[in-house]
Amino acid sequence: MSTNWNRKDLLGLRELSADEINFILETTDAFKQVGTREIKKVPALRGKTLVNFFVEPSTRTRTSFELAAFRLSADVINISATTSSLTKGETLKDTARNLEALHADILVLRHSSAGAPQFLAQRLKSSVINAGDGAHEHPTQGLLDLYTIREKRGKIDNLHVVIVGDILFSRVARSNIFGLTKLGARVTLVGPSTLVPREFEKLGVTVSNQIDKVLPDADVVNLLRIQHERQRKEYFPGISEYTTLFGLTKERAKLLKPDCLVMHPGPINRGVEIDSEVADGLQSVILDQVTNGLAVRMAVLYLCGGIAA
Amino acid sequence: MQMDDKKHSASPARTSGVPIMDAEAIRRALRRITHEIIEQNADLKSVVLAGIPLRGVEIARRLAAFIRDVAKIDIETGTIDVAMHRDDVGTRAELPMVHASKLPLPLEHRTLIIVDDVLFTGRTARAAMDAISSFGRPARIQLAALVDRGHRELPIRADYVGKNLPTATREQIQVRLQNVDQEPDAVWLFKE
């Protein structure tokens, strides 16, 4: 049985069909199983070279891609902004062309500019995997969130997923919105109106700024990190006010249905968007997300990197 | 699960196909393999039938049912994925579907019988052995195939064969099983 997958790149969830997303999730099942073997490594991408090209800092995503590549027997090179010649004035395209000249088969790119992965994917024969581009998309995070929901709840269709926090600057939110709506979930975005503009309703979601009204009906709550590094002061008055109005505190968590999942893409700001008791509580699947992220990235690398160039 | 057979998962025109085995012939072949497995394995309880998706899994299930009938023993079955252990990823236009492997663990001191529908180049069997070794070290690995069509490219032979069928390389063998394909059990030969 052959697959209908024919993409060399994964740039975002917006351009994928529901069938393609479901297919990645099914493939992930197979790769998750590899993690339970005595030898957690398969030769699927043996002889392939993967370049982790992270122009923006990241530990967990880069490590997850690196480990996924190791488990598929690919060779990995890590390049960060500071170690690359971008600091010497080389353009992104020239850096990437040089990597291709070294026969890199897969380029995993994290970049501060939206569209950077698209730009390279059109110009390179290598597979390009978007590991987060500006405030645009972070498709593997979106996929691992979908996978975790599907694994814990058995389905995605008809679930009510509430995404709380800084939606405006969040690529995680966008990938989640595209993926969840394609698979039939109902999505509500919650946060200060400066960070969750009504504009988002055009994507087929509901926007609210009253978290206490939304939480009792949620099947999944996905809390986004307040991105201090991107935040300018004018978006909200202060961290403690944010916590008071939108944080998932211990008290507020009592509004949740018992089977509601609590998710967070990490890194967590304990005591800001989520209380420690909730982050470590029974409803939290935050560490499952990390484990599933590895399997999702194995599936994506296998599918994109395994296509004949 | 032979290499070149994959792209024919959708039914081609039956008119060009020559029937090689019908449902009764397949049943008899699997029954004979059952007796051979029982004869070859004194410690039948240690045997695991590991099917290669998709049809190998179904054949393994049928063999287990026959063994239950004949020897009154429930032997364990499993699934062994080969897609991620193949040596031709990146050289083919289409990727094989990956399935989750599922084997009863630990494998130590057990006899693992790889079950597939068609034995052709032997590359799938090699990939299956590679996959098995990542789960542990069975005492013995054996190979069962419903059809052996020849043209081996590796030093591999089957321990149990339903039918030896001399073919030309360009010909296609297709196995259809009711539970997998929603078609009557049959083996077809397609001349190019």
Side-chain angles (χ1 to χ4, degrees):
Chain A
M1 200 167 101
S2 293
T3 66
N4 293 320
W5 184 266
N6 54 15
R7 292 177 186 271
K8 78 170 175 73
D9 310 304
L10 178 69
L11 304 176
L13 297 192
R14 184 178 212 160
E15 58 262 32
L16 298 188
S17 67
D19 282 349
E20 285 176 309
I21 293 172
N22 279 320
F23 178 69
I24 298 173
L25 301 182
E26 281 161 29
T27 304
T28 301
D29 283 332
F31 284 104
K32 185 162 185 190
Q33 188 280 326
V34 173
T36 68
R37 296 186 190 181
E38 199 169 297
I39 297 170
K40 299 170 181 55
K41 188 163 176 145
V42 295
L45 294 184
R46 193 170 59 185
K48 300 258 181 189
T49 303
L50 178 143
V51 176
N52 257 331
F53 189 17
F54 278 63
V55 179
E56 242 188 13
S58 155
T59 309
R60 79 188 54 217
T61 304
R62 186 184 55 73
T63 309
S64 181
F65 269 110
E66 190 170 352
L67 196 49
F70 285 157
R71 290 200 172 171
L72 295 170
S73 308
D75 299 308
V76 180
I77 305 166
N78 287 304
I79 298 175
S80 64
T82 46
T83 60
S84 80
S85 291
L86 287 175
T87 51
K88 299 179 192 163
E90 190 178 47
T91 65
L92 176 62
K93 187 180 166 190
D94 283 332
T95 302
R97 285 172 60 114
N98 276 284
L99 295 173
E100 192 169 61
L102 295 170
H103 303 295
D105 300 288
I106 306 171
L107 181 64
V108 177
L109 180 68
R110 157 77 54 103
H111 202 279
S112 52
S113 297
Q118 279 82 350
F119 176 84
L120 290 183
Q122 287 162 5
R123 287 162 178 81
L124 299 179
K125 285 196 288 292
S126 319
S127 292
V128 177
I129 313 291
N130 181 1
D133 59 332
H136 177 227
E137 281 224 47
H138 190 352
T140 54
Q141 179 71 43
L143 288 166
L144 75 88
D145 289 343
L146 292 170
Y147 186 84
T148 304
I149 296 169
R150 174 180 169 274
E151 179 182 66
K152 299 290 172 189
R153 300 298 302 256
K155 62 164 193 175
I156 289 171
D157 190 35
N158 277 323
L159 291 183
H160 182 206
V161 179
V162 177
I163 305 175
V164 185
D166 169 9
I167 312 290
L168 187 61
F169 291 98
S170 173
R171 52 193 172 216
V172 175
R174 279 171 188 71
S175 288
N176 262 277
I177 291 166
F178 295 132
L180 287 165
T181 51
K182 278 174 207 269
L183 298 191
R186 203 151 52 84
V187 179
T188 303
L189 310 177
V190 183
S193 49
T194 46
L195 293 174
V196 191
R198 294 263 163 217
E199 199 72 10
F200 276 95
E201 290 183 342
K202 287 180 184 161
L203 298 178
V205 301
T206 309
V207 169
S208 167
N209 46 34
Q210 296 191 291
I211 192 167
D212 293 346
K213 283 191 180 162
V214 175
L215 288 183
D217 183 47
D219 296 306
V220 177
V221 182
N222 199 347
L223 301 157
L224 302 181
R225 185 172 65 92
I226 288 300
Q227 307 192 44
H228 302 291
E229 71 273 21
R230 288 173 211 273
Q231 231 61 270
R232 280 172 299 163
K233 263 210 283 218
E234 56 264 38
Y235 284 97
F236 59 90
I239 294 290
S240 67
E241 182 173 324
Y242 180 86
T243 306
T244 310
L245 290 174
F246 298 104
L248 191 60
T249 57
K250 206 165 43 163
E251 291 70 35
R252 198 166 265 145
K254 289 174 187 155
L255 296 171
L256 298 174
K257 290 193 272 190
D259 60 350
C260 178
L261 305 178
V262 174
M263 304 176 72
H264 192 302
I268 305 175
N269 292 323
R270 287 175 185 265
V272 180
E273 67 268 4
I274 186 167
D275 271 358
S276 273
E277 289 85 346
V278 185
D280 303 328
L282 291 173
Q283 288 173 281
S284 166
V285 293
I286 295 172
L287 291 176
D288 297 272
Q289 289 174 268
V290 178
T291 305
N292 289 338
L294 178 57
V296 160
R297 291 180 178 113
M298 287 174 77
V300 167
L301 294 178
Y302 171 79
L303 290 174
C304 293
I307 296 276
Chain B
M1 181 151 91
Q2 68 197 98
M3 298 280 160
D4 296 336
D5 189 41
K6 299 292 184 184
K7 51 181 167 286
H8 287 276
S9 51
S11 295
R14 280 275 174 265
T15 48
S16 60
V18 180
I20 301 295
M21 297 173 90
D22 61 8
E24 178 54 24
I26 290 174
R27 204 190 67 82
R28 277 201 312 271
L30 296 183
R31 234 182 135 85
R32 182 171 49 70
I33 291 177
T34 301
H35 286 285
E36 288 172 9
I37 289 174
I38 294 169
E39 191 183 313
Q40 299 286 323
N41 293 281
D43 184 14
L44 206 50
K45 285 197 201 89
S46 77
V47 170
V48 179
L49 293 173
I52 296 177
L54 295 166
R55 295 179 192 85
V57 176
E58 167 64 12
I59 294 171
R61 191 191 64 76
R62 292 186 189 188
L63 288 173
F66 279 135
I67 290 172
R68 193 177 309 124
D69 284 353
V70 176
K72 312 293 174 212
I73 285 178
D74 275 314
I75 67 166
E76 289 192 87
T77 57
T79 300
I80 187 78
D81 169 78
V82 294
M84 50 181 109
H85 292 269
R86 292 167 67 124
D87 55 10
D88 58 353
V89 169
T91 64
R92 330 166 71 223
E94 293 177 321
L95 280 172
M97 177 79 196
V98 273
H99 298 268
S101 293
K102 199 165 180 291
L103 291 174
L105 297 177
L107 295 177
E108 277 63 22
H109 310 299
R110 307 202 69 160
T111 297
L112 211 138
I113 304 180
I114 300 168
V115 182
D116 204 356
D117 54 356
V118 178
L119 177 59
F120 184 24
T121 60
R123 289 181 192 268
T124 300
R126 185 213 56 82
M129 286 189 276
D130 184 44
I132 289 162
S133 68
S134 71
F135 285 87
R137 187 175 181 275
R140 229 172 276 106
I141 300 180
Q142 300 175 347
L143 176 61
L146 178 60
V147 177
D148 181 350
R149 60 166 294 187
H151 303 287
R152 217 76 78 236
E153 293 170 0
L154 296 170
I156 282 171
R157 63 162 185 81
D159 299 271
Y160 313 101
V161 177
K163 187 176 182 64
N164 280 298
L165 185 69
T167 57
T169 324
R170 292 181 49 184
E171 290 169 333
Q172 305 280 343
I173 300 292
Q174 199 176 83
V175 175
R176 301 278 100 172
L177 298 174
Q178 185 70 51
N179 288 359
V180 178
D181 304 291
Q182 278 75 51
E183 275 182 51
D185 286 0
V187 176
W188 297 84
L189 172 72
F190 292 89
K191 307 208 181 261
E192 202 68 11

